[in-house]
Amino acid sequence: MNNVAAEMEHLHKLAKGNLNKRFNRLWGVITNPLWLAHAWEQIRRNRGAQTPGVNRLTAEDVDMVSVMKLAERLKTGHYRPLPVKRVYIPKAGSKTKTRPLGIPSIEDRIVQQALRMALEPIFEADFLSCSHGFRQGRSTHTALRDVIRTYPSASYIIEGDIEGFYDNISHAKLMTCIQERIADGKILGLIRKFLNAGYLEEWTFHRTFSGVPQGGIVTPLTQ
């Protein structure tokens, strides 16, 4: 794999060219050391790379040797996601309300980024043009631009929010949606492991029967 960007573009073209295509050969892609190294480079540039997860490791504790060992653990089936560390941050627009944030371990962030790099080009082919949240090249500003173009005489806009959306996503329904495009059993198994990894809150473990942690790299794709 000489060019990660080219491979991502190839996946997108395949998905765009056949909206019924199910991908069954992605495991070799995300476990490729070069793919994981690219994922690591993207994680390392994020401001949150120095925020520790439950094992208290940060970006400073990871190097290319670590990434190579991570690739080997994935290939041999010895990799297991850790529970996310749950913290609470102020909710936007409120002085009193907070929302939960799940902080994965640094290794889990690398693997999630590797997953995102493979899944996002595929599901981008299915997303509606009116969807702007958490997508490359799209933002609140592009959404407003489209509203103005479509409804030039609109005098007001109503903003809404689904309370507890992330916390109540059905794992079964989510996996059903993912399987419409993904047929690779190892990829599906890895996603299930992330969903079932649970979380630690004040060092008490909690199992997760539904929902996805806000703060996870792959989480925005669930929208």
Side-chain angles (χ1 to χ4, degrees), residues 9-210:
E9 181 63 26
H10 177 63
L11 289 172
H12 180 66
K13 286 183 178 179
L14 289 175
K16 195 76 173 176
N18 182 356
L19 296 180
N20 295 312
K21 181 176 177 60
R22 298 180 72 223
F23 292 77
N24 60 3
R25 295 183 179 180
L26 294 176
W27 186 249
V29 173
I30 75 154
T31 58
N32 186 303
L34 293 178
W35 190 271
L36 284 167
H38 190 82
W40 161 233
E41 284 298 319
Q42 293 189 338
I43 293 297
R44 190 162 60 113
R45 291 197 295 264
N46 291 341
R47 288 182 299 175
Q50 299 303 327
T51 303
V54 295
N55 60 0
R56 299 178 179 175
L57 300 180
T58 69
E60 294 181 355
D61 300 298
V62 179
D63 54 21
M64 281 308 302
V65 174
S66 304
V67 174
M68 295 291 286
K69 290 180 179 179
L70 177 59
E72 186 62 24
R73 285 164 50 215
L74 280 164
K75 290 177 181 179
T76 58
H78 290 95
Y79 168 79
R80 292 289 185 277
L82 294 174
V84 299
K85 182 173 72 173
R86 173 168 285 191
V87 298
Y88 290 86
I89 62 174
K91 195 169 186 178
S94 175
K95 294 182 179 180
T96 57
K97 294 183 178 180
T98 60
R99 65 182 180 91
L101 187 68
I103 304 174
S105 72
I106 193 69
E107 277 195 342
D108 290 347
R109 272 175 265 179
I110 295 171
V111 177
Q112 286 190 19
Q113 178 67 9
L115 272 173
R116 186 200 66 79
M117 287 159 46
L119 297 180
E120 189 173 68
I122 295 169
F123 286 100
E124 267 290 329
D126 300 333
F127 291 157
L128 299 175
S129 60
C130 61
S131 174
H132 293 262
F134 303 101
R135 295 177 65 187
Q136 292 289 334
R138 292 171 181 260
S139 64
T140 305
H141 294 92
T142 60
L144 289 172
R145 177 202 64 197
D146 286 1
V147 168
I148 291 171
R149 289 176 178 176
T150 307
Y151 306 101
S153 59
S155 57
Y156 60 87
I157 297 173
I158 299 175
E159 179 185 8
D161 183 31
I162 302 175
E163 185 176 357
F165 172 77
Y166 285 113
D167 296 334
N168 295 287
I169 290 176
S170 165
H171 289 176
K173 291 181 179 179
L174 176 60
M175 292 305 301
T176 297
C177 292
I178 292 173
Q179 288 176 76
E180 290 181 4
R181 278 298 204 169
I182 307 301
D184 190 316
K186 290 185 177 180
I187 293 290
L188 295 172
L190 180 60
I191 295 172
R192 289 190 186 96
K193 288 177 183 177
F194 275 116
L195 291 174
N196 296 326
Y199 65 92
L200 285 184
E201 184 173 347
E202 295 183 353
W203 301 107
T204 299
F205 176 74
H206 300 265
R207 296 183 64 185
T208 44
F209 299 99
S210 65

